[in-house]
Amino acid sequence: MRIEELNWMDVEEYLKHDDRLILVVGACEQHGYLSLLSDVKIPLALADAVSKQIGILVAPPINFGSSPYFLTYPGTLSLRLSTLMDAVEDIIRSAYGQGFKRILVLNGHGGNSGLKARLVELSNLLPELKVQWYAWWMAHSVETIAIQHEIKPSHANWLEAFPFTIVSDLPVGQKTPPQVPSEILDAKTAREVYGDGSFGGKYQVSDTIMQEVFDASLQDILQLLKFD
Amino acid sequence: MRIEELNWMDVEEYLKHDDRLILVVGACEQHGYLSLLSDVKIPLALADAVSKQIGILVAPPINFGSSPYFLTYPGTLSLRLSTLMDAVEDIIRSAYGQGFKRILVLNGHGGNSGLKARLVELSNLLPELKVQWYAWWMAHSVETIAIQHEIKPSHANWLEAFPFTIVSDLPVGQKTPPQVPSEILDAKTAREVYGDGSFGGKYQVSDTIMQEVFDASLQDILQLLKFD
Amino acid sequence: MRIEELNWMDVEEYLKHDDRLILVVGACEQHGYLSLLSDVKIPLALADAVSKQIGILVAPPINFGSSPYFLTYPGTLSLRLSTLMDAVEDIIRSAYGQGFKRILVLNGHGGNSGLKARLVELSNLLPELKVQWYAWWMAHSVETIAIQHEIKPSHANWLEAFPFTIVSDLPVGQKTPPQVPSEILDAKTAREVYGDGSFGGKYQVSDTIMQEVFDASLQDILQLLKFD
Amino acid sequence: MRIEELNWMDVEEYLKHDDRLILVVGACEQHGYLSLLSDVKIPLALADAVSKQIGILVAPPINFGSSPYFLTYPGTLSLRLSTLMDAVEDIIRSAYGQGFKRILVLNGHGGNSGLKARLVELSNLLPELKVQWYAWWMAHSVETIAIQHEIKPSHANWLEAFPFTIVSDLPVGQKTPPQVPSEILDAKTAREVYGDGSFGGKYQVSDTIMQEVFDASLQDILQLLKFD
Amino acid sequence: MRIEELNWMDVEEYLKHDDRLILVVGACEQHGYLSLLSDVKIPLALADAVSKQIGILVAPPINFGSSPYFLTYPGTLSLRLSTLMDAVEDIIRSAYGQGFKRILVLNGHGGNSGLKARLVELSNLLPELKVQWYAWWMAHSVETIAIQHEIKPSHANWLEAFPFTIVSDLPVGQKTPPQVPSEILDAKTAREVYGDGSFGGKYQVSDTIMQEVFDASLQDILQLLKFD
Amino acid sequence: MRIEELNWMDVEEYLKHDDRLILVVGACEQHGYLSLLSDVKIPLALADAVSKQIGILVAPPINFGSSPYFLTYPGTLSLRLSTLMDAVEDIIRSAYGQGFKRILVLNGHGGNSGLKARLVELSNLLPELKVQWYAWWMAHSVETIAIQHEIKPSHANWLEAFPFTIVSDLPVGQKTPPQVPSEILDAKTAREVYGDGSFGGKYQVSDTIMQEVFDASLQDILQLLKFD
């Protein structure tokens, strides 16, 4: 269940028998034809599904991530990485002070990976804190599915085209991945390079494959939540 | 409509005829028997209602605010004010760079009012930016309704008990407002002072009154969105 | 007595029987025809008067506050709110480390109210710290006097026209309060809106009323200094 | 004249024929038997004297400096150097935006010298800004006087014992300068080393010598204010 | 050639015909039996080799990176990621102001990858800046070599055992990679998990293979330096 | 010996019998005809020489300092003072956590002296930390040598012309020190004032004198390392 469905007495009750919390960190950024909030919607859907199974508490999502390279795409709302690190630190310190000692950060966005440095710094400061990190699209399990079906996972292609992230018709067929001149792209160049925003490959695959991906991630998360 | 229901092409289209954006800033903090996310749910409901009427774009909410005094109430997840100011600055700079020049910050939480300083600082730096600020519970229109019905508006009392923020049975009757020793309360003292978290007064009033409050705020917001 | 009249041995002596300190936080900003330092002079005069009565120690004032909206008025010297918060934190930490556990922040300027967030954050960190906050012009007691005399208190009008803040002849009569387009004004717009800088109402009232206001604030402060 | 004696119209008038400003940066820290605010009082007295002669504008002083080594001496209220740098930057940016292009920072405290780095950084950013820095006790002119009279200038000895910084009887005679184990002293060690707080030498010299020192500094400042 | 072998006139001369600079960012952290500065030595050796071939300028290395998880291993000296980001920004701004427009960041350490966010943020701010990023051990070319020889590249194993990083005898044979409980390890847990510091696999391979790795990286860098 | 020649086991061994560390802080800035890295090379040479005698551990140097006034001289790569302070704090905290309690900061650059404030702040926070600071060119011992030989020490003149900092032919004779308009020079003015970058005086003296200077510094450092 999500914190928004509860009052503080409910959370106090929860803390008597559990000290785990899921924190979703996403992004509000261009995803081609998909929802600008795909990077929140996907990990949040996973968190909800997990919560339904084992009753773990889910914090409200951080709806913004580090997406400076996409700022030329309207609707992309990006935090400096330093701001994002501060926000995550503040939230974890809040929860830790109330008794949450094991926190799973469910990340939905590649640009947020610098967060891991702050999470380690914080783990050095807060003695009992245990943090797990899960970036679903980089999981071994998801990669395996992609290989099986011979489809390449990438930003704003089929991989993120879940029923709940599709907000418009998707192009048929696939896009040739563009030539990327550098790992460090300013927002102007990024738009020239990526055009519609997809990094290439198929725009959509069958619902069955998407469910496979979702289920595989779900199992990974259940495993991580054991914190052993 | 909310940004999450759109892709970037939709937002680009929107910007051809409008340059306004609503940004909801809330808090994840104890609200007595009400939802921990009441301070997001209320302004977001207002934003959605306004958007339904005039089609204005609504950014994803900032789900966390400055609530250091409630950190002893489980489920309260607070940002340092400096972090919150940075986050709002980053988001507004992102939007401004894409053509959003008029931004209504729909604030749901009293502890966030320090944000106004940063918004002015930012308005001095970004030449065409126009910012409006609305804190619904402090509006003249809402105060008038409260006076009419002889009910005192306060934190986590009837004023915030909308159908969509109620997550448990509410106590019958009313609470005597506690004696508050200082405007500056540390979280330990705050919990001793406020007990169940409500600041006192009636826990609930009729749906009709709540609708009056909601509608009055709605009219205020529509007025502010004229930016004149 | 003020710290500037003492040496460190005197303060060490003081700490043997008292642990209270008054910290004046003001602003250096336009006040229409009044002194640019009115927001320091008024709370400092109150602090001096209180100190005369009960011997409490008064720290040197922070002569600058958060006034970004008045930066187009020459002589306004403003700190970013984040800088001001850091300064107040540093000063309170300094005093706390020496044994000052109860601190009254005597604020002279509305734009500084974001400081309260930092004061709470600090109270959570420093176990024995007790902080009181007083903004004289917002006090119930002062409001009562204004209502009695049917005069509206506002920025740079009669309310701040004490004998010691008047530095030039004041206009006779009163000013119609201007139409204010938003709570968030950039400095350029603010100057267009406010012209001479007063927010409207009478420019001056009798010395008797001013003394009433001063005395009422004085009593409030004496009460707050009991820290109960 | 000081900004506090003026309103904004006066400053606007001043800016029509002059673009210089004196900013006093001091400290609130132990000075042995002398006033805790000596490091503000001395440069402010110099500023006032200069202003009397040539009518230059004097900003309100920054009453706090970087004095971490003296925090064990009650009454020492210290800013982190980073906070002090931010404060000075904010004040200079405020003034610069209004037309002050030549600013003399009149420093009263040795611990503040790190400020110079920020002043250069700022000078690189603000094209027309010219900044002068004066630390009176390090001036060649003052050193010359000390040598003439065979007295060693040092912290909290005769050098700072002006009529207006003396707040208690001063010891007769002189103090043997203590053995200092390191340039970097934590506050606990500093108090063990310095005892009464003076760095040694004579506690007081004749008023005539003090006047010589004052006058020499005054001439230096007048020279620097030519900004050539 | 390295900046340290030049004076400023030489660099001015260089800028007349080239605007490229290599900046090495490394770490000072445990590398098992290898040098604590391996993450600087390797990219610096590559930079020197490249410079020998095409005469490109090499800045002094940043000798410290983000290694919070290894702080329990003596000799690990780590920067907070935020500090490292600030340092890289300052250095690039310095160079950019002098005419360096194309900068290759030669990264030697996995924990530094959060830097990329700041590099993009900076690229958005500095119009003509082009940045390339190279992390040699993650290069496709190096991976290919590892696969050919059926050896797994990892932290502090053979992959980093170049002649110039070996500072003591290396264990014979190989280490079973430890079970890692989380991607986010505090420093205490990390030491329990990693023991001697190597992440497992062979401790050393033949000089021929190491030369292959080095040469492959060299070719990659030469390619990136074309900035097309 | 330097940390780069060791692995972590070696440092662990060292910590069993010693808790001292030398940290070199320099600058990458114009030195006239001398190496841009002179301010690192000199203190590092001293550290190496000392280490050879008494086996003390030397950390990798911080290759950049605060040199905003020289940013117009190509090859000058400067950190904001705030960044430099953060970097030094992070490094000292890292070392302190591993058992290094006595740290000698060997500074090579005048612009870095603001660092001392942070070192004191840090000493107040870390109970057992003892820090020494040495700026070789300001040492009494070095001044004595200069007086003996009737040569004036200054930036980028003979004083820094060691065999290992000379990277090109030096001008014969000496330079008349330029008229310096202010202690606070922006980079544009600084280049106009200083021309070739030297602050004036002889460009070079005999190797014998340079050795005297080096040896005198060496003795000073050996003395400081006793930490008594």
Side-chain angles (χ1 to χ4, degrees):
Chain A
M1 73 252 125
R2 295 196 198 170
I3 273 189
E4 64 191 84
E5 300 155 15
L6 305 179
N7 61 35
W8 70 265
M9 295 97 164
D10 301 325
V11 178
E12 191 161 70
E13 202 54 39
Y14 174 88
L15 278 164
K16 287 181 186 160
H17 59 85
D18 207 338
D19 64 354
R20 294 172 302 165
L21 183 67
I22 293 181
L23 176 61
V24 167
V25 184
C28 179
E29 67 165 29
Q30 77 85 359
H31 273 75
Y33 301 89
L34 302 172
S35 164
L36 280 152
L37 217 60
S38 297
D39 284 353
V40 173
K41 281 170 180 279
I42 300 169
L44 196 55
L46 286 165
D48 284 342
V50 165
S51 187
K52 213 169 182 175
Q53 286 200 20
I54 61 166
I56 195 166
L57 200 61
V58 180
I62 300 183
N63 284 322
F64 310 92
S66 167
S67 320
Y69 31 77
F70 287 153
L71 279 168
T72 42
Y73 288 94
T76 300
L77 302 173
S78 172
L79 302 180
R80 281 165 291 175
L81 179 58
S82 58
T83 304
L84 181 64
M85 293 195 299
D86 286 348
V88 169
E89 172 168 345
D90 292 355
I91 291 167
I92 290 184
R93 281 186 182 272
S94 297
Y96 180 84
Q98 294 155 16
F100 292 98
K101 303 299 181 203
R102 295 180 294 168
I103 292 173
L104 169 64
V105 177
L106 215 50
N107 179 34
H109 170 55
N112 294 345
S113 61
L115 263 178
K116 289 191 282 186
R118 181 64 62 90
L119 292 171
V120 176
E121 291 164 18
L122 206 49
S123 300
N124 283 344
L125 292 172
L126 304 179
E128 298 167 70
L129 182 66
K130 292 291 163 201
V131 180
Q132 289 281 0
W133 171 271
Y134 187 67
W136 69 273
W137 72 98
M138 297 179 72
H140 204 65
S141 61
V142 172
E143 198 195 7
T144 306
I145 295 167
I147 291 172
Q148 271 173 351
H149 298 285
E150 290 179 8
I151 42 179
K152 207 171 157 260
S154 205
H155 173 79
N157 74 0
W158 66 269
L159 179 69
E160 308 193 274
F162 289 94
F164 51 86
T165 56
I166 296 177
V167 293
S168 70
D169 290 342
L170 297 178
V172 179
Q174 59 181 61
K175 176 181 175 179
T176 310
Q179 188 75 15
V180 180
S182 169
E183 267 194 72
I184 310 295
L185 291 189
D186 63 277
K188 195 166 155 291
T189 308
R191 183 145 179 195
E192 289 162 15
V193 168
Y194 292 116
D196 69 7
S198 167
F199 281 19
K202 287 193 185 168
Y203 283 103
Q204 198 168 8
V205 297
S206 71
D207 282 4
T208 323
I209 295 177
M210 294 315 288
Q211 194 62 46
E212 272 183 67
V213 166
F214 193 87
D215 290 344
S217 289
L218 197 68
Q219 293 309 315
D220 288 347
I221 295 171
L222 286 168
Q223 192 58 37
L224 286 174
L225 284 170
K226 295 185 182 163
F227 280 90
D228 47 29
Chain B
M1 72 254 123
R2 297 196 197 169
I3 274 190
E4 66 192 80
E5 301 155 14
L6 305 179
N7 61 35
W8 70 265
M9 296 97 165
D10 300 324
V11 177
E12 190 161 70
E13 200 56 39
Y14 174 89
L15 278 164
K16 289 183 185 158
H17 59 85
D18 207 337
D19 64 355
R20 295 173 301 165
L21 182 67
I22 294 181
L23 176 61
V24 167
V25 184
C28 179
E29 66 165 30
Q30 76 85 1
H31 275 75
Y33 301 90
L34 302 172
S35 163
L36 280 152
L37 217 61
S38 296
D39 284 354
V40 173
K41 282 171 179 276
I42 300 170
L44 197 54
L46 287 164
D48 284 343
V50 165
S51 187
K52 213 168 183 176
Q53 287 200 18
I54 61 167
I56 194 165
L57 199 60
V58 180
I62 300 183
N63 284 321
F64 309 90
S66 168
S67 319
Y69 31 77
F70 287 153
L71 280 169
T72 42
Y73 287 94
T76 301
L77 302 174
S78 173
L79 302 181
R80 280 166 291 174
L81 180 56
S82 57
T83 304
L84 181 63
M85 293 195 298
D86 286 349
V88 169
E89 173 168 344
D90 292 354
I91 292 167
I92 290 184
R93 280 185 184 274
S94 298
Y96 181 83
Q98 294 156 13
F100 291 99
K101 302 300 182 203
R102 295 180 295 168
I103 291 172
L104 169 64
V105 177
L106 216 50
N107 180 33
H109 170 55
N112 293 347
S113 61
L115 262 179
K116 288 191 283 187
R118 180 64 63 90
L119 292 171
V120 176
E121 292 164 17
L122 205 49
S123 299
N124 284 344
L125 292 172
L126 304 179
E128 297 167 72
L129 182 67
K130 291 293 164 198
V131 180
Q132 289 282 0
W133 171 270
Y134 187 67
W136 68 273
W137 74 98
M138 296 179 74
H140 204 64
S141 61
V142 172
E143 196 194 8
T144 307
I145 295 166
I147 290 172
Q148 269 172 353
H149 296 286
E150 292 180 5
I151 41 177
K152 207 170 157 268
S154 204
H155 174 80
N157 75 1
W158 67 270
L159 179 69
E160 307 192 273
F162 288 94
F164 51 87
T165 57
I166 296 177
V167 293
S168 69
D169 290 341
L170 297 178
V172 180
Q174 59 181 59
K175 175 181 176 179
T176 309
Q179 189 74 18
V180 180
S182 169
E183 267 194 70
I184 310 297
L185 291 189
D186 63 276
K188 195 167 155 288
T189 307
R191 182 143 181 197
E192 288 162 15
V193 167
Y194 291 115
D196 69 8
S198 167
F199 280 19
K202 286 191 185 172
Y203 283 101
Q204 197 168 7
V205 296
S206 71
D207 281 3
T208 324
I209 296 177
M210 295 316 287
Q211 193 62 46
E212 273 183 67
V213 166
F214 192 88
D215 291 344
S217 288
L218 196 67
Q219 291 310 313
D220 287 348
I221 294 170
L222 286 168
Q223 193 57 39
L224 286 173
L225 284 170
K226 295 184 182 163
F227 280 89
D228 49 28
Chain C
M1 72 253 126
R2 295 196 197 169
I3 274 189
E4 65 191 81
E5 301 155 15
L6 305 179
N7 61 34
W8 70 265
M9 296 97 164
D10 300 324
V11 177
E12 189 160 71
E13 200 56 39
Y14 174 88
L15 277 164
K16 288 182 185 160
H17 59 84
D18 206 338
D19 64 356
R20 294 173 302 165
L21 182 68
I22 293 181
L23 176 62
V24 167
V25 184
C28 178
E29 67 164 29
Q30 77 85 0
H31 274 75
Y33 301 90
L34 303 172
S35 164
L36 279 152
L37 218 61
S38 296
D39 283 354
V40 173
K41 282 172 179 275
I42 300 171
L44 197 54
L46 286 165
D48 284 343
V50 166
S51 187
K52 213 169 182 176
Q53 285 199 19
I54 61 166
I56 195 166
L57 200 60
V58 180
I62 299 183
N63 283 321
F64 310 90
S66 168
S67 318
Y69 30 78
F70 287 153
L71 279 169
T72 42
Y73 287 94
T76 300
L77 302 174
S78 172
L79 303 180
R80 280 164 293 175
L81 180 57
S82 57
T83 304
L84 181 63
M85 293 194 299
D86 286 348
V88 169
E89 174 169 343
D90 291 355
I91 292 167
I92 290 184
R93 280 185 183 274
S94 298
Y96 180 83
Q98 294 156 13
F100 292 98
K101 302 300 181 203
R102 295 180 295 167
I103 292 173
L104 170 63
V105 176
L106 215 49
N107 180 32
H109 170 54
N112 294 346
S113 61
L115 263 179
K116 288 191 283 187
R118 180 64 63 90
L119 291 171
V120 176
E121 291 165 17
L122 205 49
S123 299
N124 283 345
L125 292 172
L126 305 179
E128 298 167 70
L129 182 67
K130 291 293 163 199
V131 179
Q132 288 283 359
W133 171 271
Y134 188 68
W136 69 272
W137 74 99
M138 296 179 74
H140 203 65
S141 61
V142 172
E143 196 194 8
T144 307
I145 295 166
I147 291 172
Q148 270 173 352
H149 297 285
E150 291 178 6
I151 42 178
K152 209 172 155 264
S154 204
H155 174 80
N157 74 1
W158 66 270
L159 179 69
E160 307 192 274
F162 289 94
F164 51 86
T165 56
I166 296 176
V167 293
S168 70
D169 290 341
L170 297 178
V172 180
Q174 58 181 61
K175 174 181 176 179
T176 309
Q179 190 74 17
V180 180
S182 169
E183 267 194 70
I184 309 296
L185 291 189
D186 62 277
K188 194 166 155 290
T189 308
R191 182 142 182 199
E192 289 162 15
V193 167
Y194 291 116
D196 69 8
S198 167
F199 281 18
K202 287 191 183 172
Y203 282 102
Q204 197 168 7
V205 296
S206 71
D207 282 3
T208 323
I209 295 177
M210 295 315 287
Q211 193 62 47
E212 272 183 68
V213 166
F214 193 88
D215 291 345
S217 289
L218 196 67
Q219 292 310 313
D220 287 347
I221 294 170
L222 286 168
Q223 192 57 38
L224 286 174
L225 284 171
K226 294 184 182 163
F227 280 89
D228 49 28
Chain D
M1 72 255 123
R2 295 194 199 172
I3 274 190
E4 65 190 83
E5 300 155 15
L6 305 179
N7 61 35
W8 71 265
M9 296 96 163
D10 300 325
V11 177
E12 191 161 70
E13 201 55 40
Y14 173 88
L15 278 164
K16 289 182 185 159
H17 59 85
D18 207 337
D19 64 355
R20 294 172 301 165
L21 181 69
I22 294 182
L23 175 61
V24 167
V25 184
C28 178
E29 68 165 30
Q30 77 84 0
H31 275 74
Y33 300 90
L34 302 172
S35 164
L36 280 152
L37 218 60
S38 296
D39 283 354
V40 173
K41 281 171 180 276
I42 300 169
L44 196 55
L46 286 165
D48 284 342
V50 165
S51 186
K52 214 170 182 174
Q53 286 199 19
I54 61 167
I56 194 166
L57 199 61
V58 180
I62 299 183
N63 284 321
F64 310 91
S66 168
S67 319
Y69 30 78
F70 287 154
L71 279 169
T72 41
Y73 287 94
T76 301
L77 302 173
S78 173
L79 302 180
R80 281 165 292 175
L81 179 57
S82 57
T83 304
L84 181 63
M85 293 194 299
D86 286 348
V88 169
E89 173 168 345
D90 292 355
I91 291 167
I92 290 183
R93 281 185 182 272
S94 297
Y96 181 83
Q98 295 155 15
F100 292 98
K101 302 299 183 204
R102 295 180 294 168
I103 292 174
L104 169 63
V105 176
L106 217 49
N107 180 34
H109 169 56
N112 294 346
S113 61
L115 263 178
K116 288 191 283 186
R118 181 64 63 91
L119 291 171
V120 176
E121 290 164 18
L122 205 50
S123 299
N124 283 345
L125 292 172
L126 306 179
E128 299 167 71
L129 182 66
K130 291 291 165 202
V131 180
Q132 289 281 0
W133 172 272
Y134 187 68
W136 68 273
W137 73 99
M138 296 179 72
H140 203 65
S141 61
V142 172
E143 197 194 7
T144 307
I145 296 167
I147 291 172
Q148 270 173 351
H149 297 285
E150 291 179 8
I151 41 180
K152 205 170 159 266
S154 204
H155 174 79
N157 74 0
W158 67 268
L159 180 70
E160 308 192 273
F162 288 94
F164 50 87
T165 56
I166 297 177
V167 293
S168 70
D169 290 342
L170 296 178
V172 181
Q174 59 181 60
K175 176 181 175 178
T176 310
Q179 188 75 17
V180 180
S182 169
E183 266 195 71
I184 309 296
L185 291 189
D186 63 278
K188 195 167 155 288
T189 307
R191 183 145 180 196
E192 289 162 15
V193 167
Y194 291 116
D196 70 7
S198 168
F199 281 17
K202 286 193 185 170
Y203 282 102
Q204 198 168 7
V205 297
S206 72
D207 282 4
T208 323
I209 295 177
M210 295 315 288
Q211 193 62 46
E212 272 183 69
V213 166
F214 193 88
D215 290 345
S217 289
L218 196 66
Q219 292 310 313
D220 288 347
I221 295 171
L222 286 168
Q223 193 57 38
L224 286 174
L225 284 170
K226 294 185 182 163
F227 280 89
D228 47 27
Chain E
M1 73 254 123
R2 296 197 197 170
I3 274 191
E4 65 192 83
E5 300 155 15
L6 305 179
N7 61 33
W8 71 264
M9 296 98 163
D10 300 324
V11 177
E12 192 162 69
E13 201 55 38
Y14 174 88
L15 278 163
K16 288 182 187 159
H17 60 86
D18 207 338
D19 63 355
R20 294 173 301 164
L21 182 68
I22 294 182
L23 175 61
V24 166
V25 184
C28 179
E29 66 166 29
Q30 75 86 359
H31 274 74
Y33 300 89
L34 302 172
S35 163
L36 280 152
L37 217 61
S38 297
D39 284 355
V40 173
K41 282 172 179 277
I42 300 169
L44 196 55
L46 286 164
D48 284 343
V50 165
S51 188
K52 213 169 182 176
Q53 288 200 18
I54 61 167
I56 195 165
L57 200 61
V58 180
I62 300 183
N63 284 321
F64 310 91
S66 168
S67 319
Y69 31 77
F70 287 153
L71 279 169
T72 41
Y73 288 94
T76 300
L77 302 174
S78 172
L79 302 180
R80 281 166 291 176
L81 180 57
S82 57
T83 304
L84 181 63
M85 293 195 298
D86 286 348
V88 169
E89 172 167 345
D90 292 355
I91 291 167
I92 290 184
R93 281 186 183 274
S94 297
Y96 181 83
Q98 293 155 15
F100 292 98
K101 303 300 183 204
R102 295 181 294 168
I103 292 172
L104 169 64
V105 177
L106 215 49
N107 180 33
H109 170 54
N112 294 346
S113 62
L115 262 178
K116 288 191 282 186
R118 181 63 63 89
L119 291 171
V120 177
E121 292 164 18
L122 206 50
S123 299
N124 283 345
L125 292 172
L126 305 179
E128 298 167 70
L129 182 66
K130 291 291 164 201
V131 180
Q132 289 282 2
W133 171 272
Y134 187 68
W136 67 273
W137 73 99
M138 297 179 73
H140 204 63
S141 61
V142 172
E143 197 194 6
T144 307
I145 295 167
I147 290 171
Q148 272 172 350
H149 297 284
E150 293 179 5
I151 40 179
K152 208 171 156 266
S154 205
H155 174 78
N157 74 1
W158 66 269
L159 179 69
E160 308 192 273
F162 289 94
F164 51 85
T165 56
I166 296 177
V167 293
S168 69
D169 290 342
L170 297 178
V172 179
Q174 58 181 59
K175 176 181 175 180
T176 310
Q179 188 75 15
V180 180
S182 169
E183 266 195 70
I184 310 296
L185 291 189
D186 63 277
K188 195 167 155 291
T189 307
R191 183 144 180 197
E192 288 162 15
V193 167
Y194 292 115
D196 70 6
S198 167
F199 281 18
K202 287 193 183 170
Y203 283 102
Q204 199 167 7
V205 296
S206 71
D207 281 3
T208 323
I209 296 177
M210 295 317 287
Q211 193 61 46
E212 273 183 67
V213 166
F214 192 88
D215 291 344
S217 288
L218 196 68
Q219 292 309 314
D220 287 347
I221 295 170
L222 286 168
Q223 192 58 37
L224 286 173
L225 284 170
K226 295 186 183 163
F227 279 90
D228 48 30
Chain F
M1 74 253 121
R2 296 197 197 170
I3 274 190
E4 65 192 85
E5 300 155 16
L6 305 179
N7 61 33
W8 70 265
M9 295 98 164
D10 299 324
V11 178
E12 191 161 70
E13 200 56 38
Y14 174 87
L15 278 163
K16 289 182 186 159
H17 59 87
D18 207 338
D19 63 356
R20 295 173 301 166
L21 182 68
I22 293 182
L23 175 62
V24 167
V25 184
C28 179
E29 67 166 27
Q30 75 86 358
H31 274 75
Y33 300 89
L34 303 172
S35 163
L36 280 153
L37 218 60
S38 297
D39 285 354
V40 173
K41 283 173 178 274
I42 301 170
L44 197 55
L46 286 164
D48 284 343
V50 165
S51 187
K52 213 169 182 177
Q53 287 200 17
I54 61 167
I56 194 166
L57 199 61
V58 180
I62 299 183
N63 284 321
F64 310 91
S66 168
S67 319
Y69 31 77
F70 287 153
L71 280 169
T72 42
Y73 288 94
T76 301
L77 302 174
S78 172
L79 303 180
R80 283 166 291 175
L81 180 57
S82 57
T83 304
L84 181 64
M85 293 195 298
D86 286 348
V88 169
E89 172 167 344
D90 292 355
I91 292 167
I92 291 184
R93 280 185 183 273
S94 297
Y96 180 83
Q98 293 156 14
F100 292 99
K101 302 301 181 202
R102 296 180 294 167
I103 291 172
L104 170 63
V105 177
L106 215 50
N107 180 34
H109 169 55
N112 294 347
S113 61
L115 262 179
K116 288 191 282 186
R118 180 64 63 89
L119 291 171
V120 177
E121 291 165 18
L122 206 50
S123 299
N124 283 344
L125 292 171
L126 305 179
E128 299 166 70
L129 182 67
K130 292 292 164 201
V131 179
Q132 289 282 1
W133 172 271
Y134 187 69
W136 68 273
W137 74 99
M138 297 178 73
H140 203 64
S141 60
V142 172
E143 197 194 7
T144 307
I145 295 167
I147 291 172
Q148 271 173 352
H149 297 285
E150 291 179 8
I151 42 180
K152 206 169 160 266
S154 204
H155 174 79
N157 74 2
W158 66 270
L159 180 69
E160 308 192 272
F162 289 93
F164 51 86
T165 56
I166 297 176
V167 292
S168 69
D169 289 342
L170 296 178
V172 179
Q174 58 181 60
K175 175 182 176 179
T176 310
Q179 189 75 15
V180 180
S182 169
E183 266 194 72
I184 310 295
L185 291 189
D186 63 277
K188 195 168 155 289
T189 307
R191 182 143 181 199
E192 288 162 15
V193 168
Y194 292 116
D196 69 6
S198 167
F199 281 19
K202 287 193 184 168
Y203 282 103
Q204 198 167 9
V205 297
S206 72
D207 282 3
T208 323
I209 296 177
M210 294 317 285
Q211 193 62 46
E212 273 182 67
V213 165
F214 193 88
D215 291 344
S217 288
L218 196 67
Q219 293 309 313
D220 287 347
I221 294 169
L222 285 168
Q223 192 57 38
L224 286 174
L225 284 170
K226 296 186 181 161
F227 279 90
D228 48 27

